[in-house]
Amino acid sequence: MQEATFLILTALAAGSQHGYGIITDVKEISGDRVRLRAGTLYTALDRLRADGLIAVDREEVVENRLRRYYRLTPDGSDLLAVEAARLRANADAALRRLNLAGGTV
Amino acid sequence: VSAASLERGYRRLLACYPERFRAEQADEMLAVLMEGACRDHRPGDRRGAGAAGLAEAGPDRDGRGRRVMFTVHSWFPYPLQLLTTSVYLLEVAALTVSPGPRHGRHLLNWGHGVTMLLAAGAVQASTLWDDSKTGIARILVHDHKLRSTSWSSASRWRWSQWRRPWRCG
């Protein structure tokens, strides 16, 4: 799973969000390291929707502009949990080996 | 840059997305782009600090390829970058394998190269500024069959001209 996809799913894990909310949330989660472009975000959202990992939660019109909220589907939650566990296992392995090798971590 | 002109710019750029994607997402993307531009605006900025540039709003189906290949023309929409880059690569390849003046003829010549570059530039410019639904540039960008057919026909014609027996005088 690409990092942008992981971060988008993570942003939606806490509840439904609209496009701009996802962009700002991803920026915050990644410690200002990942700034999603609108093109990247919507291409990813389109793909995630097609894969059944996210769904449209509701739509609002704010200041004459469409605001669509997305939410994780059960499949999306499962995939995110699996991916998070995989990343944690990898990180744990790396930290264990660093400790064994007398690393500073 | 006023909000209205920024919105017009974004709309022109969004026109480069495939029709299905545009119908589904364009309004929402525009809202996100404008929201980003408005929220991060600082007094005195020529543009909102967080406003996505036109290139940043563009299609990013393969971000890596885009960043590597299209840095120089990053303000052009993605499909046109792809198209013109193909033209440039074709031109460079053809000029490189050209038999050269010793043989008395060329597969391609500089005049042809300049014409192609001017044509590609005109297509880019007209797509950026053309709002009409039936604009020729839009057809060129979105009609892949027409584009590939015209390119392969032109290439075949040029190749057949070059391969024809050549007589001096």
Side-chain angles (χ1 to χ4, degrees):
Chain A
M1 184 187 288
Q2 289 183 350
E3 188 182 21
T5 307
F6 180 80
L7 290 170
I8 290 169
L9 293 178
T10 304
L12 294 174
S16 64
Q17 298 238 42
H18 65 287
Y20 188 73
I22 296 172
I23 289 175
T24 51
D25 214 11
V26 163
K27 193 176 157 192
E28 192 185 318
I29 293 167
S30 66
D32 214 4
R33 192 172 49 81
V34 177
R35 290 190 67 175
L36 286 178
R37 296 171 172 181
T40 311
L41 173 68
Y42 280 94
T43 307
L45 290 178
D46 198 45
R47 195 182 63 245
L48 291 170
R49 274 174 72 185
D51 292 345
L53 300 175
I54 63 169
V56 174
D57 190 50
R58 64 186 189 279
E59 291 181 354
E60 287 176 0
V61 176
V62 179
E63 293 171 1
N64 293 323
R65 294 191 193 284
L66 176 69
R67 185 177 276 187
R68 190 176 281 156
Y69 286 78
Y70 297 90
R71 62 172 168 76
L72 274 186
T73 62
D75 282 350
S77 297
D78 291 346
L79 184 68
L80 180 61
V82 168
E83 185 67 10
R86 189 183 69 81
L87 290 173
R88 184 161 66 184
N90 286 348
D92 286 347
L95 292 171
R96 269 199 311 275
R97 290 195 173 207
L98 283 169
N99 283 332
L100 285 174
T104 54
V105 180
Chain B
V1 178
S2 70
S5 67
L6 187 62
E7 181 170 339
R8 274 200 303 278
Y10 284 145
R11 280 195 185 281
R12 285 190 194 106
L13 185 71
L14 291 172
C16 293
Y17 279 89
E19 196 159 348
R20 183 199 67 80
F21 187 89
R22 207 167 60 233
E24 183 91 0
Q25 313 273 27
D27 285 344
E28 197 189 343
M29 280 183 73
L30 183 66
V32 168
L33 290 165
M34 294 305 292
E35 196 169 346
C38 296
R39 284 203 186 185
D40 295 338
H41 179 73
R42 304 277 183 279
D45 281 357
R46 288 188 64 207
R47 177 181 101 171
L54 289 181
E56 292 169 9
D60 198 11
R61 280 170 292 186
D62 182 359
R64 280 175 304 174
R66 182 181 176 202
R67 275 193 289 279
V68 172
M69 291 193 69
F70 307 120
T71 307
V72 175
H73 301 291
S74 61
W75 56 277
F76 289 148
Y78 178 83
L80 290 180
Q81 293 171 353
L82 202 60
L83 175 66
T84 51
T85 303
S86 306
V87 172
Y88 299 151
L89 292 176
L90 273 173
E91 290 291 345
V92 170
L95 287 168
T96 306
V97 300
S98 169
R102 270 189 311 149
H103 297 262
R105 61 197 177 124
H106 306 268
L107 175 59
L108 294 172
N109 55 45
W110 289 109
H112 172 77
V114 169
T115 307
M116 295 289 274
L117 292 177
L118 287 175
V123 171
Q124 288 173 338
S126 59
T127 301
L128 281 174
W129 298 108
D130 181 9
D131 267 339
S132 70
K133 238 185 162 169
T134 55
I136 184 73
R138 192 155 304 172
I139 294 169
L140 281 172
V141 169
H142 290 302
D143 193 332
H144 301 294
K145 275 185 194 163
L146 174 69
R147 222 168 57 187
S148 56
T149 306
S150 59
W151 274 110
S152 66
S153 304
S155 305
R156 276 205 302 270
W157 175 81
R158 184 154 285 278
W159 181 253
S160 67
Q161 293 292 307
W162 185 67
R163 294 284 291 174
R164 222 165 45 184
W166 180 73
R167 291 188 187 87
C168 185

